[in-house]
Amino acid sequence: RVARRRMVLPFRDRRRIAQAVPFEVENETPFELDDVFVDWELVGGGPSSAEVVATVVPRRDVALRLAALREAGVSPRVLEVEGLALANLAEWVELPGTRLLLDMGHRKTTLCVTTDGRPRYARTLPIGGRHLTEALAADLGVSVDEAERRKRRDGAIGVGGAATARVLERLARDLVRTLGGLEPVLGASADKALDGIVLLGGGGRLA
């Protein structure tokens, strides 16, 4: 539900950036500007240029999310974009250089590339720990609960069979493809540009 775009502008003044970003993204979204929120973050550039990550989200989707939160008795002060929010870790954990933050959760895997703690790219993959557990259960012929217990104890690599291997291969393939497409953002291939990978989430604890 969110579109992101990296852009380089030939100036660094924040007021000019705020004026330019909506017009830069207008031609690339299927919505009128009045129907979307456009936000941006300065992530790099030089003395007279700015590298910006712009985010576009329909106002209707934001309104629906806020309404759901109100019904749950929650009054948020900030609503952030999944993936890019991982960069907030930099407030508590030192993240020098260029790093891949990889959060493998229950239903999905979210990644964010940061440079000195600033987000430069984010993506969510629809593969998570639940998919591994279900594949293990099928391969081992055990219940989902038992498969979860064994996954936490033994990991998933080399433990299951064909179904587990397919889930792992799909996750690895999508990650490699994503990183392979980041050379224009990173300025070099991922294996040369990345200074480290930070694993998060339950899946990040697996053997």
Side-chain angles (χ1 to χ4, degrees):
R1 301 179 183 278
V2 174
R4 304 182 188 95
R5 183 189 162 192
R6 170 184 167 270
M7 61 184 73
V8 177
L9 301 172
F11 45 80
R12 200 170 177 85
D13 180 74
R14 297 185 72 89
R15 183 178 299 179
R16 293 183 66 187
I17 294 173
Q19 294 172 341
V21 167
F23 292 102
E24 290 288 329
V25 302
E26 184 176 17
N27 293 331
E28 299 183 14
T29 60
F31 305 101
E32 297 293 331
L33 276 181
D34 290 342
D35 296 331
V36 297
F37 286 112
V38 179
D39 201 2
W40 56 272
E41 182 158 358
L42 182 65
V43 298
S48 59
S49 65
E51 181 184 352
V52 172
V53 173
T55 303
V56 183
V57 59
R59 289 177 179 268
R60 179 179 58 84
D61 288 340
V62 174
L64 289 172
R65 180 58 55 89
L66 291 175
L69 291 169
R70 281 195 297 268
E71 289 180 12
V74 177
S75 180
R77 290 178 295 169
V78 177
L79 193 63
E80 295 195 88
V81 175
E82 182 178 78
L84 295 178
L86 289 176
N88 293 341
L89 284 172
E91 295 183 24
W92 296 280
V93 180
E94 286 191 29
L95 296 173
T98 299
R99 297 183 179 267
L100 171 65
L101 311 184
L102 187 63
D103 182 1
M104 186 173 178
H106 181 58
R107 295 178 299 165
K108 58 198 173 187
T109 296
T110 303
L111 58 90
C112 179
V113 175
T114 64
T115 298
D116 295 329
R118 294 190 172 198
R120 304 188 68 191
Y121 179 86
R123 186 184 179 195
T124 298
L125 306 174
I127 309 168
R130 182 185 69 179
H131 301 88
L132 278 175
T133 301
E134 292 172 349
L136 274 172
D139 283 336
L140 301 176
V142 299
S143 68
V144 171
D145 288 344
E146 175 62 16
E148 178 70 17
R149 188 186 70 80
R150 294 193 190 184
K151 182 184 76 172
R152 294 186 182 192
R153 184 189 68 191
D154 303 324
I157 297 176
V159 177
T164 306
R166 282 195 296 271
V167 174
L168 289 169
E169 287 168 5
R170 181 184 171 199
L171 177 59
R173 184 173 61 248
D174 284 355
L175 287 171
V176 169
R177 284 177 177 171
T178 298
L179 293 175
L182 286 179
E183 188 167 337
V185 176
L186 301 176
S189 59
D191 60 321
K192 295 179 180 178
L194 288 179
D195 297 304
I197 299 175
V198 182
L199 291 176
L200 306 161
R205 302 185 179 199
L206 294 179

